[in-house]
Amino acid sequence: MPIYEFPEDGIRSRPIYRPLQPDVAARFHLMVAEGAGAEALARLHDKLPDEASCSIHYLAGSDGPDGSDRLMQLDCQQTRIHFDDAQLADALRRELENASMGTRLYVAGGEGFIWRMAAVGASCGMSEEEVHVERCGSLARPAQCVHCKTRVEGVTTNIYECPGCGLHVTVRDHFSRRHGAYQSVRVDAEAPGELPPIEETYR
Amino acid sequence: MTGQANIPVRVARIEQITPMIRRFTLERSDGGTLPGFSGGSHVVVTMRGEERTHHNPYSLMGSPDDKQRYQISVRRDDDGRGGSLFMHQKVAEGDTLEVSPPTNLFALNPLAERHILIAGGIGITPFMAQLHELRRAGADYQMHYAFRDQENAAFRDELEAACGDRLTAYDGSAGQFVQPAQLLGEQPLGTHVYVCGPKGMIEAVNEAAFELGWADSHVHWEEFAAPPVGKPFRVVLQKSGMEITVPGASSVLEALEDAGLQPNCLCRGGVCGECETAVVEGEIEHNDHFLPDDVKQSNSRMMICVSRARSERVVLDL
Amino acid sequence: MAAPMKIATPPIKSAESFRDDFTYSNSPQAIRRFPFPFHEDEYMYSVNIEPHNGGPVGSVYAPRFDIDEHYLSETEERRLVLEQDPGRCQVLPYMMEAQWDTLELLMESLAADYPQHFTLSKEGDRWTWENRPLGIRDSFVFGDPSTLPQEPFEYITRQVQGDFTLHGQRDNMLYMDGGMVTCQADWSLDFDLGMNWYEWHGPVPKAHQMGIFDRALKFLLNLQVERPVRRLNWTMTINPRMDTSPENYHKWGIDRSTVTPENAGEKAHLRVELQTLYRLPRSNAILFSIRCYLISMEELVTVPKWARRFPRVLRTLPDELAEYKGLIDYRPAVLEYLEQFDDGAETSPGTAPD
């Protein structure tokens, strides 16, 4: 399995997302999703060997459809529904702290969610190879303004007004997994006031 | 990386550790300090014999904080190509040798939550240096050391003093063997395993880790391939038009060096990738741990420090 | 080979500014030792890595880390940047060993290369560091961060010109695990921290497709202790501004729209980075020193060879790279200024002034 996969064109820090596949070498499958990610976990669960050991954490009530019922029906050692991102992250951390080598973490959801959960895995000593991610639902981008560092969760347009500094910033393809965000940079720095057309690019 | 000056060293001390193993303490013969290093590093020792020059990689086993001296240990191999015999039979205290600057192809992962070190026999040497680092960092580690019998339990006292109850010793003559599946089972997330020893031990640890679902990036091993002795063959260098014979007991790299060339190289053990060379024609017997299997099968590239020709003649893009 | 060049190293000036009134300038001696990066009259991309084992006496290549006449100006500029944005210096927690490696390398190199400015004395782990230009004298215990006013990496890099980054090596990959980055060519340490080699080079066009980063990575993974290497990189900056960070791009980006053929000589600067890479001994990390040199077009054309060659290079720079370097819009104005100094004569080989 290649650890490093990058887009062929453009800025290569932009992550590539693929449908989740079971890592059959693993002994324990820890599955985490929000919103539309429930569907991805259900698909993943179908592909797991019958005897596989797994656990599911799901964040209901975030954007997108509620897949709680769908996940509760799956045959899984433990399925827990959470109603808040931080609560889910805490539960995930507790479970990882007691987990053994041979565990894989699977995350499905929006990009902000994915990288918050991946960071929990990394802080428990998991390497990139042990964490699999799939983007589900909206293509809206989490972005961080490089000037004032203000983070915005779901940017759908190529240009937005930063709520921190009020500048018009454009969302680049340059992506930081540590921040879980794309980089936003002032768009009219060299010609103040001259804004390119604003388009809904990431829906 | 070609043509770099080696460091001249004087053999300050030779200790017979076991019937088969000698430890050499080396100091700079021009009086200066030696380059610092990290645990797991090796140096390539150049031994200028009367008949031939040997270049063998040996792990540094002293404290990385000590810039006054390097320590290496050499296990005598009576069937090898002569480097270890040279060290045992020809080198005396006060003699001079040359060493390359240190290179680390077997480093500890500083992100690990726990380190499990597994050594077999002379494979203990890189860990001797790493233990200094682990102790200084206050890291969580276990040292598992297997040896044939008490007579061949090199450095056991030093290890006990350094590791205390983190050391588990396995005396093969008493039926004690490392059980990789047991050691690696139920380890917390973020554990890394490091193994250095006989081929069978490395394979057993890799297999157990795979069976238990460990990701490859958590499994580390070092095994320098000594260039095997084989049949002589011809090497044609396409760019320069030279043609030379590689004797049975020399590697391609050594044969090229004997012919006055200076190909890129670093570890001389088929690990670092520095001497990777394109093959224009010929069939290769790959002995390295660097090239991926599909490249090996395609016969398109070879590591000239350890691999040989299966055909009578190879053409290299040199 | 050209005859060995002898260059006087000019004395350290009192502090000049890289912002607001921009009082920075180069003395005639500083111009002669400027690391002009172009070997020929046409733009060529290459990795051009070579051993960093000295150079002609007085040249920027001679010492391990070059201290020049702008020492006080650049350390003061660094202090100002950090005061406004402490995030310009960050090191990930598991890099403490690399921090001490950096401190040791820089102190030993500076004390050996510039005994008139710096002194390092050791009694076991008890070290005393004296930096006369900055009036610093500190005693500390090597290995004990609590005995220094800042963490070791920040402490020492506040006292050396140029940016520094720290790269851990794991699983045949290098990571951006720390840095002191206050005079950068438009990249953000805070954003790039933790990225792997391919990610942090992501924004660079063309070179990925050419396989340049694959080869450079393979080369650096085998970099040896005490065998540092170097290369030059370049771009252009309007006004002698050291801090061309993305963080402050909303402030300096506008400068690019102010260039005319009349003011290009004064405003447009060639920005050259002397990049040196060191394998750190105990941590096995790599220290990347990115030493920035700025020269105005007016200063550059005082060397006739450079006055002929630079416009020829600039004209042949592919648009994609001119765009990436942020100079595509003002390139015509700079060329118009420079071309009056290019009489079309042939230029001699090498980069040094005739």
Side-chain angles (χ1 to χ4, degrees):
Chain A
M1 186 177 320
I3 309 181
Y4 307 110
E5 197 183 2
F6 303 103
E8 291 291 315
D9 301 315
I11 294 181
R12 297 178 80 199
S13 54
R14 177 170 60 84
I16 287 191
Y17 300 100
R18 297 194 186 285
L20 290 175
Q21 297 295 333
D23 192 335
V24 289
R27 286 294 185 93
F28 180 57
H29 307 267
L30 185 44
M31 298 153 62
V32 181
E34 66 161 1
E39 207 41 52
L41 292 197
R43 263 188 279 113
L44 173 67
H45 186 269
D46 286 348
K47 292 182 194 162
L48 286 175
D50 289 342
E51 69 286 1
S53 168
C54 66
S55 167
I56 291 178
H57 292 270
Y58 181 63
L59 177 63
S62 63
D63 288 350
D66 183 348
S68 309
D69 293 345
R70 176 94 167 87
L71 294 177
M72 292 302 282
Q73 284 161 14
L74 300 176
D75 177 23
C76 197
Q77 275 70 13
Q78 176 184 259
T79 304
R80 290 172 64 186
I81 311 296
H82 305 268
F83 296 95
D84 148 328
D85 199 292
Q87 188 198 36
L88 189 158
D90 278 350
L92 174 63
R93 178 179 302 282
R94 278 195 301 278
E95 188 154 9
L96 288 174
E97 279 167 358
N98 293 311
S100 299
M101 286 297 292
T103 301
R104 294 297 180 279
L105 174 62
Y106 304 85
V107 190
E111 271 186 299
F113 177 82
I114 285 176
W115 296 104
R116 274 194 299 283
M117 298 307 137
V120 174
S123 72
C124 295
M126 298 187 91
S127 57
E128 286 178 53
E129 259 179 299
E130 296 171 301
V131 181
H132 302 262
V133 301
E134 175 178 346
R135 182 174 58 190
C136 299
S138 162
L139 299 182
R141 289 183 161 190
Q144 188 204 44
C145 171
V146 76
H147 311 299
C148 73
K149 312 290 180 192
T150 301
R151 183 186 171 89
V152 175
E153 276 315 309
V155 179
T156 57
T157 48
N158 57 338
I159 294 163
Y160 68 96
E161 193 179 314
C162 173
C165 58
L167 294 171
H168 284 94
V169 291
T170 180
V171 187
R172 303 176 74 199
D173 272 353
H174 195 29
F175 186 84
S176 157
R177 291 165 199 233
R178 189 175 70 95
H179 289 294
Y182 292 88
Q183 188 178 56
S184 308
V185 182
R186 181 175 180 185
V187 69
D188 59 342
E190 299 182 28
E194 281 179 32
L195 296 182
I198 297 180
E199 288 159 9
E200 190 153 53
T201 323
Y202 318 110
R203 245 195 310 196
Chain B
M1 303 284 159
T2 292
Q4 290 190 341
N6 276 333
I7 302 161
V9 290
R10 193 178 63 84
V11 180
R13 191 170 173 211
I14 300 176
E15 299 159 87
Q16 191 79 39
I17 303 292
T18 71
M20 299 296 281
I21 294 175
R22 281 184 172 196
R23 172 160 62 187
F24 297 80
T25 300
L26 311 173
E27 293 174 357
R28 231 185 142 112
S29 43
D30 55 11
T33 55
L34 291 156
F37 66 96
S38 49
S41 296
H42 71 271
V43 293
V44 173
V45 178
T46 299
M47 305 155 235
R48 299 197 187 279
E50 276 164 27
E51 282 159 31
R52 57 170 295 188
T53 299
H54 302 276
H55 306 273
N56 284 18
Y58 294 109
S59 295
L60 293 175
M61 57 183 300
S63 164
D65 287 328
D66 188 353
K67 291 188 177 183
Q68 297 304 317
R69 56 193 65 79
Y70 284 162
Q71 290 191 317
I72 58 171
S73 280
V74 180
R75 184 181 184 280
R76 201 178 79 211
D77 179 0
D78 294 326
D79 304 323
R81 300 174 327 123
S84 70
L85 279 178
F86 184 93
M87 289 296 287
H88 273 255
Q89 294 169 349
K90 300 279 162 69
V91 176
E93 287 181 2
D95 285 359
T96 53
L97 294 166
E98 292 159 45
V99 298
S100 69
T103 303
N104 199 343
L105 303 172
F106 189 52
L108 294 170
N109 186 319
L111 293 170
E113 305 276 335
R114 171 177 289 175
H115 305 264
I116 299 180
L117 317 178
I118 304 175
I122 190 71
I124 191 65
T125 53
F127 297 125
M128 301 281 287
Q130 289 180 339
L131 288 169
H132 287 276
E133 287 178 4
L134 291 166
R135 289 207 311 279
R136 188 171 49 199
D140 179 358
Y141 73 90
Q142 305 171 354
M143 177 76 243
H144 299 272
Y145 177 32
F147 39 82
R148 193 184 308 158
D149 49 36
Q150 293 299 334
E151 198 185 35
N152 287 290
F155 312 113
R156 188 171 174 181
D157 294 347
E158 288 174 42
L159 287 163
E160 266 168 9
C163 306
D165 58 8
R166 291 178 185 273
L167 173 72
T168 311
Y170 303 82
D171 180 343
S173 66
Q176 298 166 343
F177 299 99
V178 171
Q179 307 285 343
Q182 236 168 25
L183 285 186
L184 302 187
E186 301 299 310
Q187 290 292 348
L189 282 187
T191 304
H192 285 248
V193 63
Y194 308 82
V195 54
C196 186
K199 207 178 185 69
M201 175 184 254
I202 293 173
E203 280 169 7
V205 169
N206 270 292
E207 273 166 32
F210 181 79
E211 283 299 314
L212 291 163
W214 286 46
D216 291 349
S217 59
H218 290 248
V219 184
H220 312 266
W221 43 277
E222 181 160 77
E223 184 194 10
F224 284 115
V229 177
K231 281 187 304 193
F233 56 94
R234 304 284 294 164
V235 169
V236 179
L237 307 182
Q238 195 181 42
K239 283 183 190 152
S240 59
M242 280 177 74
E243 192 169 335
I244 54 172
T245 299
V246 179
S250 290
S251 65
V252 177
L253 174 63
E254 288 162 340
L256 295 179
E257 286 173 336
D258 289 344
L261 303 174
Q262 289 191 322
N264 283 340
C265 72
L266 196 53
C267 77
R268 293 175 181 267
V271 184
C272 76
E274 197 66 30
C275 71
E276 182 177 342
T277 302
V279 178
V280 181
E281 199 186 306
E283 223 179 301
I284 307 302
E285 181 188 307
H286 296 282
N287 298 308
D288 63 278
H289 305 298
F290 181 81
L291 292 173
D293 286 345
D294 56 328
V295 177
K296 285 183 178 174
Q297 277 154 23
S298 73
N299 282 321
S300 60
R301 314 193 75 80
M302 75 181 290
M303 311 310 296
I304 56 173
C305 65
V306 290
S307 298
R308 305 184 66 82
R310 207 170 265 153
S311 46
E312 283 176 5
R313 177 173 174 274
V314 284
V315 182
L316 299 179
D317 186 25
L318 279 176
Chain C
M1 282 293 286
M5 146 170 86
K6 266 255 170 84
I7 313 158
T9 309
I12 298 176
K13 294 189 194 180
S14 50
E16 298 170 329
S17 63
F18 296 101
R19 51 177 74 203
D20 306 321
D21 56 352
F22 296 109
T23 59
Y24 168 90
S25 69
N26 286 296
S27 69
Q29 298 102 305
I31 293 173
R32 278 195 68 79
R33 71 195 293 280
F34 187 84
F36 187 74
F38 306 108
H39 290 267
E40 44 202 342
D41 289 359
E42 203 173 321
Y43 175 77
M44 292 287 284
Y45 192 96
S46 67
V47 182
N48 60 21
I49 299 178
E50 60 178 358
H52 181 44
N53 52 6
V57 176
S59 75
V60 302
Y61 310 107
R64 273 160 284 187
F65 300 93
D66 184 37
I67 299 298
D68 70 6
E69 64 176 7
H70 306 299
Y71 180 71
L72 291 176
S73 311
E74 290 183 35
T75 48
E76 172 61 10
E77 168 69 11
R78 168 153 293 161
R79 193 189 65 75
L80 289 171
V81 172
L82 288 169
E83 195 172 80
Q84 287 159 9
D85 184 359
R88 300 296 191 88
C89 181
Q90 297 187 55
V91 185
L92 292 173
Y94 49 88
M95 296 296 281
M96 189 47 84
E97 202 78 70
Q99 292 206 32
W100 287 109
D101 272 339
T102 303
L103 177 136
E104 180 179 32
L105 174 66
L106 286 172
M107 285 187 177
E108 287 190 341
S109 302
L110 294 181
D113 291 339
Y114 301 95
Q116 71 277 34
H117 297 321
F118 308 99
T119 306
L120 176 65
S121 40
K122 300 180 186 174
E123 275 177 59
D125 287 346
R126 182 129 204 110
W127 291 22
T128 299
W129 169 246
E130 206 177 338
N131 175 337
R132 282 175 287 276
L134 289 179
I136 292 171
R137 188 189 154 88
D138 282 318
S139 289
F140 60 96
V141 177
F142 187 84
D144 180 356
S146 72
T147 59
L148 280 171
Q150 292 109 13
E151 287 201 343
F153 180 80
E154 176 175 352
Y155 175 77
I156 193 59
T157 56
R158 275 179 179 265
Q159 302 178 43
V160 189
Q161 291 168 266
D163 284 344
F164 291 88
T165 54
L166 279 176
H167 306 287
Q169 179 166 334
R170 303 183 287 283
D171 302 316
N172 289 319
M173 182 52 66
L174 294 172
Y175 294 85
M176 179 70 75
D177 286 340
M180 167 66 91
V181 179
T182 67
C183 51
Q184 71 269 48
D186 207 7
W187 69 278
S188 166
L189 172 72
D190 178 66
F191 193 76
D192 289 2
L193 195 67
M195 288 188 184
N196 73 36
W197 168 264
Y198 292 109
E199 289 172 322
W200 92 71
H201 285 114
V204 184
K206 281 201 162 192
H208 288 283
Q209 285 77 6
M210 293 161 70
I212 284 172
F213 288 118
D214 297 327
R215 289 200 298 277
L217 174 62
K218 186 177 167 231
F219 180 83
L220 292 178
L221 289 174
N222 282 338
L223 187 66
Q224 282 178 297
V225 174
E226 295 193 4
R227 298 287 185 272
V229 295
R230 68 182 173 223
R231 70 180 288 258
L232 294 175
N233 200 6
W234 71 278
T235 186
M236 291 188 75
T237 301
I238 302 309
N239 295 326
R241 190 187 292 276
M242 275 290 172
D243 176 23
T244 48
S245 58
E247 276 81 358
N248 285 329
Y249 168 67
H250 58 303
K251 296 176 187 159
W252 58 261
I254 187 78
D255 296 353
R256 288 175 172 168
S257 65
T258 62
V259 186
T260 63
E262 292 70 42
N263 68 18
E266 193 190 339
K267 269 191 175 289
H269 287 68
L270 175 61
R271 182 186 192 102
V272 173
E273 291 174 352
L274 170 56
Q275 306 180 339
T276 52
L277 295 121
Y278 291 79
R279 171 72 65 191
L280 296 176
R282 276 179 298 254
S283 58
N284 201 39
I286 286 180
L287 175 71
F288 191 4
S289 152
I290 309 153
R291 175 74 160 83
C292 172
Y293 297 85
L294 285 170
I295 189 169
S296 69
M297 292 298 104
E298 264 170 12
E299 291 168 343
L300 185 96
V301 298
T302 61
V303 177
K305 174 170 158 184
W306 298 351
R308 292 184 184 106
R309 183 171 292 170
F310 186 53
R312 300 175 192 178
V313 172
L314 194 56
R315 209 178 302 116
T316 53
L317 181 72
D319 283 354
E320 193 182 356
L321 285 169
E323 175 88 45
Y324 168 68
K325 291 177 189 283
L327 54 84
I328 194 154
D329 289 340
Y330 62 79
R331 172 162 63 174
V334 175
L335 281 175
E336 196 178 326
Y337 169 79
L338 285 174
E339 272 158 5
Q340 59 183 310
F341 303 98
D342 182 3
D343 56 10
E346 255 184 66
T347 54
S348 60
T351 58
D354 290 321

